[in-house]
Amino acid sequence: MQKEILIKFGSKVKEFRLDRNLSQEELAYKANLHRTYIGMIERGEKNITLLNIEKIAKALAINIHELFQNIGE
Amino acid sequence: MQKEILIKFGSKVKEFRLDRNLSQEELAYKANLHRTYIGMIERGEKNITLLNIEKIAKALAINIHELFQNIGE
């Protein structure tokens, strides 16, 4: 099920975002992305690109590989 | 320099590919991607998507987070 990775990635983004008590809007602002885009990423509805993965990781103040820990095994 | 992440990612793909004595063509075949696309990824010329990152990781028989170890720090 190819899309599984998008869903797992989205859950990780949401997990880190909530850990930092950020709303989708606040994360979007920090990452310089649109709020609705963050929502779609978290629901696994977007095949995110590497440049946007980096933006989100930086906004969450984590390394990119942390977003992929235990997913895509 | 936003594109830096693409260049670093591409070098990691090349590193793992060479470790496994695979040609770009063989990796492309395993990942069900085009050979020229693999070349562009390795040179950092493509903003790769997560679904293709997963294809490449599977073809290299590694976890996605290994592709991001020590990059995007």
Side-chain angles (χ1 to χ4, degrees):
Chain A
M1 221 279 288
Q2 198 183 15
K3 299 290 182 289
E4 198 182 328
I5 183 66
L6 303 183
I7 294 165
K8 284 182 180 175
F9 177 81
S11 321
K12 272 293 209 184
V13 170
K14 185 171 185 176
E15 185 189 309
F16 277 107
R17 173 172 65 78
L18 295 177
D19 273 357
R20 285 151 183 70
N21 297 310
L22 293 173
S23 65
Q24 286 184 344
E25 205 146 8
E26 287 163 331
L27 176 57
Y29 179 76
K30 279 172 166 280
N32 195 24
L33 295 167
H34 199 275
R35 183 185 58 75
T36 53
Y37 181 80
I38 296 291
M40 294 175 83
I41 290 300
E42 290 191 351
R43 294 188 299 273
E45 294 168 1
K46 274 279 181 185
N47 184 15
I48 189 170
T49 65
L50 181 49
L51 290 180
N52 283 347
I53 289 171
E54 183 185 40
K55 282 185 179 179
I56 289 176
K58 281 185 174 172
L60 292 169
I62 55 175
N63 297 323
I64 293 178
H65 70 81
E66 292 175 78
L67 278 172
F68 290 105
Q69 224 64 40
N70 315 320
I71 63 173
E73 302 307 299
Chain B
M1 219 279 288
Q2 198 181 13
K3 298 293 182 288
E4 199 182 329
I5 184 65
L6 302 184
I7 293 166
K8 285 182 181 175
F9 178 81
S11 318
K12 271 291 203 183
V13 170
K14 185 170 186 176
E15 187 188 308
F16 277 107
R17 174 173 65 79
L18 295 177
D19 272 358
R20 284 150 184 73
N21 298 310
L22 293 172
S23 65
Q24 285 184 346
E25 203 146 10
E26 287 163 330
L27 176 57
Y29 179 77
K30 279 172 165 282
N32 193 25
L33 294 167
H34 199 276
R35 183 185 58 74
T36 53
Y37 181 80
I38 295 292
M40 294 174 83
I41 290 299
E42 290 190 353
R43 292 188 300 272
E45 294 168 1
K46 273 278 181 186
N47 185 15
I48 189 171
T49 65
L50 181 49
L51 290 181
N52 283 347
I53 290 171
E54 184 186 40
K55 282 185 180 178
I56 289 176
K58 282 186 174 175
L60 293 169
I62 54 175
N63 298 324
I64 293 178
H65 70 82
E66 293 176 77
L67 279 172
F68 289 105
Q69 224 65 40
N70 313 321
I71 63 174
E73 299 310 297

